[in-house]
Structures are given as structure tokens and as C-alpha cells.
Amino acid sequence: MSQVNRLREGARIDRSRTLSFTFNGKRYQGHAGDTLASALLANGVDVVNRSFKYSRPRGIVAAGAEEPNALVQLGSTEAAQVPNVRATQQALFEGLTAQSTNGWPNVQRDVMSLVGKLGGRFMPPGFYYKTFMAPASMWMTYEKYIRKGAGLGRSPMENDPDSYDHLNQHCDLLVVGAGPTGLAAALTAARAGARVILCDEQEEMGARCSTAASCSTTVPPPSGPSR
């Protein structure tokens, strides 16, 4: 497996486990522990989407929920479509299928990119509100193509065949974020007798301390029963 930007060691990557995935119709390989974003970067994929309005090429610039560009559409079947997933937050798994939400006929050769080259002369700020006002009978047509050009993903057109379990849980304290501060707060409250729920958007606790070698602070295990 040749990956031009893959480090030989380090990070939270299990290089002994190879995973195959598809992005924009092309098959790639990554490793367990990759996000979709890190796997794409390792394979040298530097254009993942197109910008709103001007359709300019956009790459990955962040590492988490703050990522503005790498919004992808997931799903290998129509019923499994999931729009607007950040590639920086999607864990890689075997058979993952994703595509860019913007770009026609594809993200590399986007016809709408011509608009970006013409730019402000023909598409000044607010031009939509002045250009697409009349006739009213064309509003639905305008909206259809404006939304398609915006590249914001789409909902599935078929019913989801999967079933999901639901659990109602109650607590005295809800801690959002399982970084060092959240872990310490949850531990302190639990030791004081509170019923605590600790939640985080990532698959592992610890936030940046889970990957930063310089983060030496550790939270001691609770001495009493877990809650």
C-alpha cells in the first residue's frame, strides 16, 4: 500500500490493520484508527469539496468539529445516505463509501468552477435576492438548482431499513466533553455521590491528551463504585 503522506510510526494508528474504503468512486486504503480525513490525506487527496457559490477547490484544514470544508455524503445505498458528515469526525471502517457534496461532474473538474473565475463581476453579494425574484412560477425551479449548486448534501429517498435501540437515562450532572477538565469534573462529582453521565463526540476519552505525547496529566481511577 503506497501512501505518499503516511507517517511510518506514531499517532493512534494500527498499521497492522488495513481497511479499504471508497471516496468519489475511487478505492483507497487506510488503517484502523484513521478518520476518513486522515486516510484521505495519507493517500494524497487534497481536494475534498468545492466552496459554496464560487465552487473553488477546498481541502482539509482542521482536525475535528471545526472543519469547514470536508463535508461528505456517506452511504453505499440510497437508503443508507447520510449527508454533511465531517470527514475529520468519521472513523474509518471497512467498506466505507463517501463522496463530496459539491462538484459536477466531479470535484476535480467542476463545471461551476467557471463561476468562481468570473467571480464578483457577475455574482456580487446578494445577487440571488435580486435576480431570482420573478417570475414567481419559477421559484421552485430556481430553488432546486441553487440548492444543488450549494453542495449541502441530500437526504435519502428510501426508508432506512435499520432499527435502533433507544435508552432513557437520568443523572444529577451531565458533563459534555471527556477531555482532562471534563474527566476531572465527572470524577469529582461521582466521588461526591452524584449520578454522572459523561459524554463526548469522539470514540475515546481524553481529547487531545489521547494523542499528545506532551500531555502527562492523568486522572486517577475512582476509589469508590463506578457510576
Side-chain angles (χ1 to χ4, degrees):
M1 177 172 58
S2 176
Q3 296 185 333
V4 294
N5 295 325
R6 174 71 70 184
L7 298 176
R8 294 184 178 180
E9 59 183 14
R12 308 280 289 185
I13 307 298
D14 183 358
R15 291 166 177 78
S16 66
R17 294 176 55 197
T18 300
L19 303 174
S20 297
F21 68 100
T22 302
F23 181 67
N24 287 338
K26 185 175 180 180
R27 292 188 65 81
Y28 297 94
Q29 290 184 319
H31 294 294
D34 268 324
T35 62
L36 175 58
S38 65
L40 289 173
L41 290 172
N43 283 279
V45 178
D46 54 2
V47 177
V48 297
N49 225 332
R50 290 279 171 166
S51 69
F52 173 74
K53 187 175 178 179
Y54 291 144
S55 290
R56 291 165 177 163
R58 291 291 182 261
I60 300 166
V61 298
E66 69 278 13
E67 168 58 38
N69 298 327
L71 296 177
V72 299
Q73 182 93 15
L74 297 183
S76 57
T77 64
E78 179 59 35
Q81 292 298 303
V82 182
N84 301 326
V85 176
R86 282 181 169 80
T88 50
Q89 294 181 292
Q90 175 60 53
L92 194 67
F93 59 84
E94 179 65 32
L96 183 151
T97 300
Q99 62 184 18
S100 303
T101 58
N102 206 354
W104 184 83
N106 58 63
V107 74
Q108 294 290 341
R109 297 177 177 84
D110 181 23
V111 172
M112 287 293 291
S113 64
L114 296 175
V115 176
K117 294 179 180 179
L118 298 175
R121 177 179 298 182
F122 298 100
M123 293 182 68
F127 89 102
Y128 318 93
Y129 314 109
K130 298 178 181 179
T131 307
F132 301 107
M133 293 297 293
S137 60
M138 291 292 291
W139 285 353
M140 296 303 293
T141 301
Y142 292 153
E143 182 182 30
K144 175 182 177 181
Y145 287 101
I146 290 174
R147 285 183 179 274
K148 183 176 180 179
L152 297 177
R154 65 180 184 83
S155 298
M157 301 299 291
E158 297 180 4
N159 293 330
D160 188 346
D162 297 330
S163 59
Y164 302 90
D165 292 330
H166 294 80
L167 175 66
N168 294 321
Q169 190 63 275
H170 303 276
C171 63
D172 300 314
L173 176 67
L174 173 66
V175 179
V176 180
T181 303
L183 289 170
L187 179 60
T188 300
R191 283 177 171 171
R195 298 174 66 245
V196 180
I197 292 179
L198 177 64
C199 60
D200 193 271
E201 65 181 0
Q202 302 299 327
E203 295 185 343
E204 296 183 16
M205 297 182 182
R208 298 189 184 278
C209 280
S210 63
T211 57
S214 60
C215 190
S216 59
T217 302
T218 57
V219 178
S223 56
S226 60
R227 295 178 183 270

